[in-house]
């Protein structure tokens, strides 16, 4: 099994055996999509009053990921859900997914870190595959249930979607090469001051990930940025010298998905051919706290599926 030191020499910490997503279609009972772009800049958002909860969305994505990976559910040794919108704080969303899918009685917990919840959860999960866990189920899920209702929106800030990955050990060079998660001890003011903090955090986080993975920015084929903060990402890409052709930034499509956004965008990049076998990608997230996180991976041909 690869150690963290081996990963620094180019051996991946773990492979992504399968990716699964669940984006409810517009014809789900009670669901609707607003036409055009709303005042938050988002044009893709599914909202539903009944039937679609954070655990049910997470379970759908998990089913798709398990199917895509070819891994037996009996091999799962850990379940982690990154979310900002659990239906309840106890039991955790991960435990509810475990029960719904009749998965093994293994460690299951949620990780709450605002927009960085998924990549922060990946930062934890990949340590388990590096330590020899047969398979880890990682999920990012969001639901707008009982949360903020913006004036004039007729709905909430969050979209409803989930994405999941099955992580497995690997001795090769494809998979998750490095991860990091961090944040400031306390907010440095509001507005521009906080944006500068996030920009600095993203810059340091990206550099740390690349250094650990023994890569340079010029060797990254695709950057999947923080979809809910397009202005910060454009400022970062200018500083980092990343052209728009190498930056996947579609806030109108992914901006409302928060913790579900990184893996959903990764799935779509693979599906459309923007990310192919052997190509490298850098995933970045930043948000409230302030927090930031990053992950560097080399795509190795894992399966993809939609629920």
């Amino acid at each position: 099994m690869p150690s963290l030191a081996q990963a620094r020499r180019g051996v991946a910490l773990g492979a992504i055996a399968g990716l699964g997503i669940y984006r409810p279609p517009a014809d789900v009972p009670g669901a609707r999509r607003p036409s055009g772009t709303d005042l938050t800049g988002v044009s893709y958002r599914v909202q539903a009053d009944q039937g679609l909860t954070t655990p049910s969305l997470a379970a759908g994505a998990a089913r798709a990921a398990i199917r895509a990976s070819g891994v037996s559910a009996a091999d799962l040794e850990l379940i982690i859900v990154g979310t900002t919108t659990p239906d309840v704080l106890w039991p955790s969303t991960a435990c509810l997914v475990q029960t719904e899918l009749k998965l093994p009685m293994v460690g299951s917990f949620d990780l709450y870190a605002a927009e960085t919840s998924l990549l922060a959860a990946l930062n934890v999960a990949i340590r388990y595959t590096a330590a020899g866990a047969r398979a880890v189920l990682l999920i990012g899920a969001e639901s707008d249930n009982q949360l903020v209702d913006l004036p004039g929106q007729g709905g909430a800030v969050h979209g409803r979607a989930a994405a999941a990955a099955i992580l497995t050990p690997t001795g090769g060079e494809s998979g998750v090469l490095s991860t990091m998660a961090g944040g400031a001890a306390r907010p440095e003011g509001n507005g521009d001051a906080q944006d500068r903090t996030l920009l600095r955090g993203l810059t340091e986080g990206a550099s740390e990930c690349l250094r650990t993975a023994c890569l340079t920015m010029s060797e990254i084929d695709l950057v999947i940025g923080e979809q809910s903060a397009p202005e910060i990402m454009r400022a970062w890409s200018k500083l980092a010298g990343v052209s728009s052709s190498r930056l996947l930034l579609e806030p109108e499509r992914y901006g409302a998905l928060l913790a579900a956004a990184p893996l959903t965008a990764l799935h779509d990049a693979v599906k459309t051919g923007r990310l192919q076998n052997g190509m490298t990608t850098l995933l970045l997230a930043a948000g409230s706290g302030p927090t930031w996180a990053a992950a560097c991976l080399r795509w190795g041909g894992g399966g993809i599926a939609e629920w």
Side-chain angles (χ1 to χ4, degrees):
M1 71 189 72
S3 66
L4 298 183
Q6 286 176 310
R8 294 187 178 95
R9 296 196 296 270
V11 178
L13 296 169
I16 298 179
L19 279 175
I21 64 171
Y22 181 21
R23 285 180 289 206
D27 57 359
V28 169
R32 59 188 176 84
R33 289 179 184 168
S35 59
T37 301
D38 61 28
L39 61 83
T40 62
V42 172
S43 60
Y44 179 92
R45 177 183 287 123
V46 173
Q47 299 168 344
D49 296 326
Q50 297 178 352
L52 292 177
T53 64
T54 300
S56 67
L57 290 164
R63 289 186 179 99
I66 292 170
R67 184 179 66 202
S69 70
V71 171
S72 170
D75 288 332
L76 293 175
E77 295 189 304
L78 182 69
I79 304 168
I80 307 179
V81 174
T83 183
T84 67
T85 55
D87 280 28
V88 292
L89 294 178
W90 185 88
S92 69
T93 302
C95 286
L96 294 173
V97 170
Q98 181 186 46
T99 300
E100 181 171 341
L101 300 188
K102 297 180 173 59
L103 297 176
M105 293 297 291
V106 297
S108 305
F109 61 90
D110 294 353
L111 195 153
Y112 310 131
E115 290 88 340
T116 64
S117 294
L118 187 280
L119 292 189
L122 174 60
N123 188 49
V124 175
I126 204 65
R127 267 59 184 171
Y128 283 83
T129 60
R134 288 175 297 173
V136 174
L137 172 58
L138 172 70
I139 306 172
E142 298 291 1
S143 166
D144 60 7
N145 52 335
Q146 297 95 42
L147 287 180
V148 179
D149 188 4
L150 289 178
Q153 289 297 289
V157 176
H158 302 75
R160 292 194 174 214
I166 301 295
L167 306 174
T168 57
T170 180
E173 297 181 352
S174 294
V176 180
L177 302 177
S178 61
T179 62
M180 69 78 60
R186 59 178 180 270
E188 297 181 14
N190 295 315
D192 291 344
Q194 182 143 322
D195 287 351
R196 287 193 295 271
T197 300
L198 290 174
L199 184 57
R200 183 170 63 250
L202 284 172
T203 300
E204 294 173 355
S207 296
E208 179 181 332
C209 262
L210 291 172
R211 183 171 58 252
T212 303
C214 298
L215 293 172
T216 63
M217 188 63 74
S218 63
E219 295 175 289
I220 296 297
D221 297 298
L222 182 67
V223 175
I224 298 177
E226 173 53 62
Q227 304 296 318
S228 66
E231 292 184 359
I232 292 175
M233 284 310 309
R234 292 187 184 103
W236 173 86
S237 65
K238 184 176 181 180
L239 287 173
V242 174
S243 65
S244 59
S245 63
R246 288 199 294 151
L247 178 63
L248 196 166
L249 186 62
E250 298 182 33
E252 68 282 356
R253 181 168 181 79
Y254 304 113
L257 303 187
L258 302 185
L263 290 183
T264 302
L266 180 63
H267 168 279
D268 291 352
V270 173
K271 184 177 181 179
T272 60
R274 195 168 179 183
L275 186 67
Q276 301 179 18
N277 289 358
M279 295 176 69
T280 56
T281 182
L282 178 67
L283 283 71
L284 298 175
S288 303
T291 59
W292 49 83
C296 184
L297 63 90
R298 180 175 290 108
W299 184 249
I304 61 171
E306 296 191 45
W307 185 251

